[in-house]
Amino acid sequence: MNYPIPSSPQEMIALRQQPVSDELVATALAGVIKIARSRQQSLEDLKAEVLADDSVLNGEQRLWLSELVTQAWQFLP
């Protein structure tokens, strides 16, 4: 199943209605990057948000996700 890359927070929220799959996670990641760029955020800004302490991910998971965001940022147009 192909998902369009979200371009708004509302479209990101709508993804919650879909079953979780690798493709859905990749689409969500691409959407986060697309939205960040549309808001003129830098990669460093986005990484700071990912690395911010929260109750969802532990430090190791946030670091891994930050590295994934960096790789995706470089490959997405």
Side-chain angles (χ1 to χ4, degrees), residues 29-30 32-33 37 42-48 50-51 62-77:
L29 179 59
V32 166
I33 291 171
R37 286 178 173 164
S42 68
L43 173 57
E44 295 306 314
D45 293 336
L46 185 53
K47 284 174 49 177
V50 169
L51 291 171
R62 287 192 306 274
L63 184 59
W64 176 82
L65 184 57
S66 172
E67 292 170 6
L68 186 61
V69 165
T70 299
Q71 290 176 16
W73 185 280
Q74 294 169 353
F75 288 105
L76 291 171

Side-chain angles (χ1 to χ4, degrees), residues 21-32:
S21 66
D22 292 346
E23 184 180 355
L24 182 69
V25 172
T27 299
L29 179 59
V32 166

